[in-house]
């Protein structure tokens, strides 16, 4: 066997119990690519100010979307990612494995199994369309730490603007839009602004001006914000939507530092106040449904929108293991 494929997604707790969620959050938040503070400050923040309080709230949120059996396979993110891996494995030559950057199945275990299969090359496919150090970079570094020296590593580039990725999303949205929808909200996972500026190789472009994402720059190769807006432009053009019918926002902010704006929770209220009654929401930075789509948007977001005066919120599912998405990925990695 010459080449193996490894799909990596972000991660999930083992169960929605407070104990398992605390363990997961500790691993996630202690990654310097996630909280890019010096280790002592990061340890103090996580141990003293986050872990005593957040696991219980997060465990309740996970429980609201978890499978009935309460076991690991109840995690939507894991279930959809494994289904994608199974479907891809039936279309490509060579072994295919799935791993999570945090939690199980671990990157270490997946790399060990694939290396033992006799592969000379490992193709890593981080399942993150846009580049961010807190997703792609940390996954790539984790794989490199565990990869044997004799196995060559190849990494699938960000695919935020690939034509078939845009087509897959557009087809999915068209299938799930209700007939009487008013507005489409494209809600991306947020990032602290300093993650954007620290990833800027020029040191002077990102967030320096309001229109920085529209001005050509070498910074765009690693700029999450630019790549989110590039996805949104391509997607709305493919759907034939004008600016009045689609909005971009950023969700899931944590802490008091400034994050990318506009914030999704505020946009939901603003749209309802502007008279939008039947809102559809799609989350283009995720390829598999998870806590941030199903609970944050599908439950919390829907309640907030209705309370602000909206009538209905339709959450459009992620690509998950849809057949055209499987075909597109198989072409990329084949």
């Amino acid at each position: 066997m010459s080449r193996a494929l490894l799909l990596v997604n972000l991660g999930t707790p083992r169960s929605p119990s407070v104990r398992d969620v605390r363990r997961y959050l500790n691993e996630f938040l202690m990654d310097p690519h996630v909280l890019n503070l010096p280790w002592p400050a990061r340890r103090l923040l996580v141990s003293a100010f986050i872990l005593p309080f957040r696991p219980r709230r997060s465990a309740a949120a996970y429980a609201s979307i978890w499978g009935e059996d309460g076991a690991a396979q109840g995690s939507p993110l894991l279930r959809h990612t494994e289904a994608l891996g199974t479907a891809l494995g039936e279309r490509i030559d060579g072994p295919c494995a799935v791993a999570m950057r945090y939690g199980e199945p671990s990157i270490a275990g997946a790399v060990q199994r694939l290396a033992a299969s006799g592969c000379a090359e490992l193709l890593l496919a981080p399942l993150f369309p846009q580049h961010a150090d807190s997703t792609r970079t940390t996954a790539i570094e984790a794989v490199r730490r565990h990869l044997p020296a004799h196995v060559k590593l190849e990494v699938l580039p960000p695919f935020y603007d690939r034509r078939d990725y845009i087509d897959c999303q557009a087809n999915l949205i068209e299938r799930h839009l209700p007939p009487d929808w008013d507005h489409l909200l494209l809600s991306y996972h947020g990032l602290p602004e300093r993650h954007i500026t620290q990833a800027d190789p020029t040191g002077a472009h990102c967030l320096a001006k309001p229109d920085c994402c529209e001005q050509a720059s070498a910074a765009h190769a690693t700029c999450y914000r630019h790549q989110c807006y590039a996805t949104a432009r391509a997607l709305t053009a493919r759907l034939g939507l004008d600016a009045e019918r689609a909005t971009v926002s950023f969700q899931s902010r944590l802490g008091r530092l400034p994050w990318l704006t506009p914030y999704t929770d505020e946009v939901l209220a603003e749209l309802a106040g502007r008279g939008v009654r039947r809102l559809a929401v799609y989350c283009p930075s995720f390829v598999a449904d998870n806590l941030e789509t199903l609970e944050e948007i599908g439950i919390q977001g829907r309640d907030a929108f209705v309370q602000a005066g909206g009538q209905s919120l339709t959450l459009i599912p992620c690509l998950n293991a849809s057949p055209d998405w499987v075909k597109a990925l198989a072409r990329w990695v084949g």
Side-chain angles (χ1 to χ4, degrees):
M1 295 180 183
S2 59
R3 186 164 83 160
L5 173 65
L6 176 61
L7 304 177
V8 172
N9 219 322
L10 194 66
T12 179
R14 184 183 299 273
S15 80
S17 71
V18 174
R19 178 180 179 181
D20 284 341
V21 171
R22 180 181 291 110
R23 182 183 297 112
Y24 169 75
L25 287 176
N26 181 68
E27 182 183 4
F28 171 62
L29 294 172
M30 284 305 295
D31 184 340
H33 287 299
V34 175
L35 285 180
N36 53 353
L37 298 170
W39 189 91
R42 188 167 69 253
R43 184 71 273 173
L44 176 64
L45 176 63
V46 172
S47 295
F49 296 98
I50 298 179
L51 292 184
F53 312 104
R54 192 171 181 84
R56 188 168 299 278
R57 296 196 302 270
S58 294
Y62 275 110
S64 70
I65 63 166
W66 211 262
E68 293 182 358
D69 57 6
Q73 60 264 33
S75 161
L77 178 68
L78 179 57
R79 186 169 65 249
H80 291 306
T81 305
E82 288 186 327
L84 178 64
T86 298
L88 267 177
E90 295 171 353
R91 286 182 165 269
I92 64 172
D93 295 327
C96 174
V98 164
M100 297 289 159
R101 173 60 185 89
Y102 313 103
E104 297 290 337
S106 70
I107 285 177
V111 169
Q112 183 178 19
R113 290 191 299 275
L114 291 175
S117 72
C119 66
E121 179 180 313
L122 176 65
L123 174 58
L124 168 62
L127 295 175
F128 315 110
Q130 299 84 18
H131 172 86
D133 286 339
S134 55
T135 53
R136 281 184 54 84
T137 300
T138 187
I140 294 167
E141 289 184 357
V143 170
R144 284 180 173 148
R145 283 197 297 272
H146 297 287
L147 193 67
H150 68 275
V151 179
K152 178 184 176 182
L153 178 65
E154 180 183 350
V155 181
L156 185 74
F159 46 89
Y160 63 95
D161 60 350
R162 289 189 70 148
R163 175 64 181 272
D164 35 7
Y165 163 67
I166 299 299
D167 285 345
C168 287
Q169 293 180 102
N171 293 337
L172 179 77
I173 292 170
E174 289 172 338
R175 289 197 301 271
H176 288 88
L177 278 175
D180 56 351
W181 68 282
D182 296 334
H183 198 87
L184 175 65
L185 178 62
L186 300 175
S187 180
Y188 294 82
H189 197 289
L191 279 183
E193 289 185 351
R194 72 178 186 179
H195 281 214
I196 304 298
T197 55
Q198 289 176 351
D200 180 358
T202 73
H205 181 81
C206 289
L207 303 182
K209 297 179 180 179
D211 63 347
C212 58
C213 288
E214 283 72 56
Q215 304 299 317
S217 172
H220 293 171
T222 54
C223 180
Y224 176 78
R225 182 175 183 267
H226 165 80
Q227 295 180 9
C228 288
Y229 278 106
T231 299
R233 284 194 301 272
L235 190 51
T236 53
R238 168 65 174 73
L239 291 167
L241 302 180
D242 58 35
E244 297 301 315
R245 297 206 75 186
T247 299
V248 170
S249 64
F250 298 90
Q251 64 184 84
S252 310
R253 69 186 185 276
L254 172 67
R256 298 181 180 180
L257 291 174
W259 282 49
L260 293 177
T261 58
Y263 299 138
T264 293
D265 56 348
E266 296 178 357
V267 169
L268 289 171
E270 291 168 4
L271 290 173
R274 280 168 34 193
V276 172
R277 291 295 172 263
R278 293 170 294 277
L279 180 66
V281 183
Y282 179 65
C283 302
S285 55
F286 304 103
V287 299
D289 276 307
N290 59 84
L291 184 72
E292 282 78 6
T293 63
L294 299 173
E295 195 276 336
E296 185 177 356
I297 300 297
I299 298 176
Q300 289 191 48
R302 179 179 288 114
D303 289 347
F305 180 68
V306 171
Q307 289 173 10
Q311 179 178 320
S312 64
L313 185 154
T314 299
L315 174 63
I316 297 171
C318 293
L319 293 169
N320 295 323
S322 57
D324 54 350
W325 173 229
V326 173
K327 292 178 183 177
L329 264 177
R331 288 193 297 269
W332 300 352
V333 304

